Each structure stands twice: as structure tokens, then as C-alpha cells.
Amino acid sequence: MTTYVWDYLPEYEKERDDLLNAVDTVFSSGRLVLGESVRGFEEEFAAYHGVRYATGVDNGTNALKLGLEALGVGPGDEVITVSNTAAPTVVAISGTGATPVFVDVRDEDFLMDTAQVAAAITPRTKALLPVHLYGQCVDMAPLRRLAEEHGLRILEDCAQAHGARHHGQVAGAMGDVAAFSFYPTKVLGAYGDGGAVITSDETVDANLRRLRYYGMEKTYYVVRMPGHNARLDEVQAEILRRKLRRLDSYVAGRRAVARRYAEALGDLSGPGGLRLPSPAPGNDHVYYVYVVRHPRRDEIIERLKSYGISLNISYPWPVHTMTGFAHLGYGVGALPVTEKLAGEIFSLPMYPTLPEDVQDKVIVALREVLESFR
């Protein structure tokens, strides 16, 4: 049997009764769209993050796009972000009509190099979009200082950082707006698509609620602003309500797997060897993915296939090198750290219900491959 980086079936077996009850709760409610489950999840998700408002939407990409639009980002504006991210981060910026502007990431933790942001700011810059990557947070203090100095807004991309903290502050509570994805693989994942945007700004929240519902307000027929059909599904909302109560236990499970990997593989790390992830200063890592690094990455992945292990790369193609973003004018060499990482990083299996025998299988196989290089 092939081992993959993620599998939802062990979780489903463990939580099956509650998940099916969530579906029955919605089907028995008499309200299938924007009902009690969406409202309840929004209130509980906002409370978890210590903010005033949450707006459920249909996916993480639209969470980013609507979050930017609610901040007033549009054609002619620039948004500063990173290229070492999932393409939806940049697709969302482009979708508003704004122009993505890239800065590089740090070699030690792959997060936005905030020291490069000031030089990227122009008169057209409207917002900063840090990506809390792989399960830990960008250093937000420098970004907040720059935002205040230049009159910019901050949208946190929290798709990979549910429950992560930075100096005690939960991811999503450090900017003006934060966007979340509930794609099934996430730390807090639905059983289908879903997303949310959180804020403590009443005006921004009002904009978000209009934007997700055609631009309408309260009544179906009156459009107040150009909008979208981007509502969170009632069934997914009810599932997420149940799972939100278990979010901290999911994080604890991921951290336990990460500790086991670190203990079993730590002696193989070092210059030119396997580099394991570790929390940046002030961060509480939630290990959405367990991203390691090795200069012979491609050979390792290929050889592990013979052990029945199939691994992912997050991400093999930096966004700025994709043909769909060639018009932005970033050639190869523009972001050297990002480009180097793209050839070296890969992800080990990581989810809270990952069985120990599967962890052992990965550890033993990876050790054998790495030791053969010596």
C-alpha cells in the first residue's frame, strides 16, 4: 500500500458519528443556505481568534479576493506578497485587478523576508499580504510599522496556519483582515471547500457580507455594490463548527508527529544534509505540512517510491516563474532564495491521525536513503 502525505479516512473513522450528525442537523433544519450553521460557525470562529467578525465564504481563494476587495484594493493598486506560496494567493490579488509585487523569503524558515518590504513599496502600494506558511507566522511587527508609516492595509493569508501563534497572538488577529481556507487538507479542514475572512473592522465586515452575496444587503433584489456568489455552504459550516472544537487537539496531534520526526531524523541534519523545520523566534508552529530540505531532493523522492511512499513538494514552481504570471516581468534569478528552495524542499506525511507504524515506515525508508549518500 502506498503511503501519501495526507489521508482523511483515519479521521473520518474516528469522528464519523459526529460528522454524520452534523449533516443530519442541517438537512433537518429547514434552511440549507446561510442558516444557523453558518451564523454559528462565524460567531465561534471569530471568538476563537479574539476578533469581532467572521464571514464564511466558499473557498480560501475567494476569502483572499473578497478580503482585498473589502479593503478597497482594485485596479491600479499593488499588493506586496511572496512567490513561495500556493498560486491562489497571487491569483486572488490578480483577480481584484491589482498587481502582485514579490519579495523574497528567508532561507532559514521560508517565510516572507520582511527586511525587503520597505524597498518594494511604491505610491501604488495599497496592501501587504504576508503568508503564514507551512504552519507558522511571519514576523508581523515590521509589517505593522510599515503599514502605519505608509498608510497601508494588511491581509494575513492564514490558509496554512489555523491555530498558530506569534508572540502569543493567534494567526489572523495581527492585521486588518485575515483569510482562511478550509480545504480538506488544512489544519481545520472541511469535507469539501470552504473559507472565511475575519476582521474587527465593522465597515470591512459589512463590505464582506455584501461581496459574498452578489453585493446585496438583507434583501435579495437590491445590489449595493458589485459582488460575487461566494457563500459558505451550510453543511460545511456545521461540520466546521464541530471540528473547530477539536482544533487544538488537531494541532497537538501534528506537533506530536513533528516531535517524532525530529527525534528520529535529527542526527541526519546538518550542512549539505537533511534540514528539518523548526519554529522561528516567537512562533508556535502547527505543522500544517512538515517541510524538509535536501540538495538531492528529487533523487530522494524517486527512491522512496520503491518503498511505497509518495511525497509532495510545496512548492516546486515559484509563482513568479509560472507562465501565467510572466507579464509581471520577474525572470529567473529575481528571487534567489525562493528559487533555490524550489529545488530542495519536500513534505513528509503529516496529519494528526497519522498512524505510528506509517511514521515508522517513512522514518526507516528515509534514513536508509539518506545513509546511502554517505
Side-chain angles (χ1 to χ4, degrees):
M1 180 180 293
T2 300
T3 296
Y4 297 98
V5 293
W6 178 78
D7 183 0
Y8 75 90
L9 291 175
E11 175 189 276
Y12 179 65
E13 285 301 311
K14 184 178 180 180
E15 301 179 3
R16 183 176 186 274
D17 290 345
D18 190 40
L19 294 169
L20 293 182
N21 178 261
V23 176
D24 184 66
T25 295
V26 173
F27 287 178
S28 301
S29 71
R31 181 71 179 268
L32 297 177
V33 178
L34 292 183
E36 175 61 24
S37 293
V38 169
R39 186 197 64 78
F41 173 69
E42 289 174 340
E43 291 180 355
E44 292 155 17
F45 195 65
Y48 180 91
H49 292 89
V51 299
R52 294 175 63 191
Y53 309 107
T55 301
V57 297
D58 55 345
N59 56 64
T61 307
N62 274 337
L64 289 163
K65 184 174 183 287
L66 271 61
L68 290 168
E69 290 180 343
L71 291 174
V73 173
D77 295 329
E78 293 178 348
V79 178
I80 298 174
T81 191
V82 294
S83 178
N84 184 39
T85 183
T89 303
V90 186
V91 168
I93 296 171
S94 296
T96 68
T99 300
V101 174
F102 298 116
V103 296
D104 215 342
V105 295
R106 305 194 303 189
D107 184 77
E108 62 269 27
D109 54 26
F110 320 152
L111 298 168
M112 174 184 273
D113 187 346
T114 57
Q116 297 188 21
V117 173
I121 295 173
T122 75
R124 295 174 59 195
T125 305
K126 188 67 170 285
L128 309 178
L129 204 168
V131 179
H132 299 317
L133 196 70
Y134 302 150
Q136 64 174 332
C137 298
V138 173
D139 183 5
M140 294 296 293
L143 298 183
R144 287 197 295 264
R145 287 194 294 269
L146 287 170
E148 183 175 351
E149 179 182 350
H150 295 276
L152 307 177
R153 310 303 295 272
I154 298 177
L155 189 155
E156 300 173 66
D157 183 341
C158 298
Q160 302 186 8
H162 307 79
R165 292 180 181 272
H166 180 62
H167 294 295
Q169 287 188 286
V170 67
M174 296 178 282
D176 297 292
V177 172
F180 292 81
S181 168
F182 304 124
Y183 188 75
T185 61
K186 304 302 184 184
V187 179
L188 178 62
Y191 277 69
D193 269 321
V197 192
I198 64 173
T199 184
S200 287
D201 187 314
E202 183 177 8
T203 300
V204 171
D205 179 66
N207 286 339
L208 285 164
R209 292 181 182 280
R210 297 184 191 104
L211 285 166
R212 75 161 175 194
Y213 192 57
Y214 309 110
M216 297 176 183
E217 182 177 330
K218 295 183 180 178
T219 178
Y220 182 75
Y221 296 102
V222 180
V223 173
R224 301 293 184 185
M225 61 195 301
H228 312 272
N229 178 8
R231 302 168 297 222
L232 177 62
D233 180 77
E234 190 77 357
V235 171
Q236 298 302 338
E238 185 61 33
I239 290 172
L240 288 165
R241 289 185 79 179
R242 312 297 180 91
K243 295 189 70 178
L244 179 60
R245 299 162 194 162
R246 298 188 282 269
L247 175 55
D248 291 342
S249 69
Y250 297 152
V251 170
R254 289 172 179 273
R255 287 175 175 157
V257 175
R259 283 195 300 272
R260 205 152 184 267
Y261 280 146
E263 291 168 359
L265 300 169
D267 63 307
L268 297 176
S269 64
L274 186 71
R275 288 179 58 177
L276 303 178
S278 62
N283 275 349
D284 295 324
H285 206 312
V286 297
Y287 298 98
Y288 163 60
V289 282
Y290 193 85
V291 175
V292 299
R293 180 178 180 182
H294 196 283
R296 297 172 70 174
R297 186 269 312 279
D298 292 344
E299 184 179 352
I300 292 169
I301 289 178
E302 188 61 32
R303 290 180 60 177
L304 286 174
K305 290 178 182 177
S306 67
Y307 292 85
I309 299 171
S310 179
L311 301 183
N312 283 355
I313 302 170
S314 301
Y315 300 93
W317 302 288
V319 176
H320 73 281
T321 67
M322 297 179 182
T323 56
F325 297 103
H327 64 283
L328 297 176
Y330 292 86
V332 174
L335 302 171
V337 177
T338 295
E339 292 166 28
K340 183 173 177 59
L341 292 176
E344 298 183 355
I345 54 178
F346 61 106
S347 303
L348 303 188
M350 170 58 74
Y351 48 95
T353 51
L354 182 65
E356 286 197 359
D357 62 328
V358 177
Q359 297 174 44
D360 291 338
K361 174 183 175 181
V362 173
I363 290 166
V364 169
L366 185 55
R367 288 193 66 90
E368 288 184 4
V369 171
L370 292 174
E371 287 170 353
S372 73
F373 293 162
R374 294 182 172 181

